[in-house]
Amino acid sequence: AQSVTQLGSHVSVSEGALVLLRCNYSSSVPPYLFWYVQYPNQGLQLLLKYTSAATLVKGINGFEAEFKKSETSFHLTKPSAHMSDAAEYFCAVISQGGKLIFGQGTELSVKP
Amino acid sequence: NAGVTQTPKFQVLKTGQSMTLQCAQDMNHNSMYWYRQDPGMGLRLIYYSASEGTTDKGEVPNGYNVSRLNKREFSLRLESAAPSQTSVYFCAVGVSGIYNEQFFGPGTRLTVL
């Protein structure tokens, strides 16, 4: 069965610093992976998705993620954090039944 | 286009009361989903509907019922609310195809006293 694990329920960075949010997946088939962002009091918004076309995936707002099969990872990065990046981030994988399986979420705080 | 809309935005119920959460989409996609979000648990699927006229249970269906009224609307009903159902509820619409990218509504924050 497919699953994802997000390492760290809370990450804090300074404005301008590198953002690294970790996601590891478990899947018996080639996975389709997603990162979603949730700003306070809003619904989830798709940041980017991996569909096997390229291992480095670029998303909105300067975020990108790299699929590493050998490490079963799909970590989310951004070179320079902005205050507006403060939000909760969810990694997700498509199950064999076609449904999204979400990780527990990582809350990102950005300090001035 | 509004995308995915949910009503109400907030609701407070007493234990045992019933209510229906409404979800509507103007994206013309077949798949619709109801999730609940609880701190530290991510989003958990309650029910989903692959197409008009069909519904299936997700991970946490107990205490809920759903109706897929037509292609646009998918409602979630709590027949007898319990404090354990205090949560934020999200409706989502799935894009047809193998990747099943989903678009989410703004959520309904429900408190059961």
Side-chain angles (χ1 to χ4, degrees):
Chain A
Q2 283 81 0
S3 67
V4 290
T5 302
Q6 292 183 240
L7 303 177
S9 59
H10 188 262
V11 170
S12 182
V13 300
S14 297
E15 193 172 20
L18 171 72
V19 175
L20 171 61
L21 305 182
R22 299 177 187 273
C23 173
N24 287 89
Y25 69 89
S26 173
S27 178
S28 56
V29 296
Y32 297 134
L33 294 157
F34 302 81
W35 275 100
Y36 282 85
V37 60
Q38 183 182 30
Y39 298 105
N41 299 314
Q42 295 187 26
L44 278 71
Q45 178 182 356
L46 182 67
L47 264 182
L48 50 80
K49 61 185 178 186
Y50 169 74
T51 58
S52 75
T55 56
L56 183 62
V57 182
K58 295 187 183 299
I60 62 171
N61 301 336
F63 284 93
E64 62 182 36
E66 186 172 9
F67 174 76
K68 291 187 176 180
K69 184 177 179 180
S70 61
E71 299 177 7
T72 62
S73 69
F74 189 56
H75 301 331
L76 182 71
T77 60
K78 182 173 180 178
S80 177
H82 294 170
M83 297 296 292
S84 60
D85 294 327
E88 188 155 21
Y89 292 80
F90 293 93
C91 183
V93 66
I94 290 286
S95 72
Q96 286 186 286
K99 295 183 283 294
L100 273 178
I101 307 296
F102 286 89
Q104 300 90 331
T106 298
E107 185 176 353
L108 175 67
S109 300
V110 182
K111 299 174 291 186
Chain B
N1 288 347
V4 184
T5 57
Q6 292 184 236
T7 55
K9 285 186 168 48
F10 302 94
Q11 184 72 48
V12 179
L13 293 178
K14 295 180 180 178
T15 296
Q17 287 184 318
S18 62
M19 80 160 295
T20 299
L21 283 65
Q22 306 285 357
C23 175
Q25 56 132 338
D26 61 5
M27 305 177 77
N28 200 34
H29 292 306
N30 288 320
S31 302
M32 298 184 74
Y33 305 82
W34 276 106
Y35 294 90
R36 61 177 289 173
Q37 183 181 25
D38 303 291
M41 304 189 74
L43 277 77
R44 294 181 292 169
L45 183 64
I46 305 171
Y47 270 92
Y48 66 100
S49 171
S51 62
E52 182 181 351
T54 68
T55 61
D56 284 290
K57 295 178 180 179
E59 181 185 354
V60 289
N62 291 345
Y64 305 95
N65 285 301
V66 290
S67 295
R68 182 72 183 269
L69 304 170
N70 46 54
K71 190 171 185 178
R72 289 189 64 247
E73 299 172 287
F74 188 36
S75 62
L76 179 71
R77 183 161 178 84
L78 287 70
E79 291 290 352
S80 178
S84 61
Q85 294 177 305
T86 293
S87 188
V88 182
Y89 291 85
F90 288 100
C91 177
V93 173
V95 177
S96 303
I98 58 174
Y99 306 133
N100 200 22
E101 173 182 333
Q102 294 183 18
F103 292 92
F104 285 78
T108 294
R109 188 173 296 272
L110 175 66
T111 301
V112 183
L113 303 175

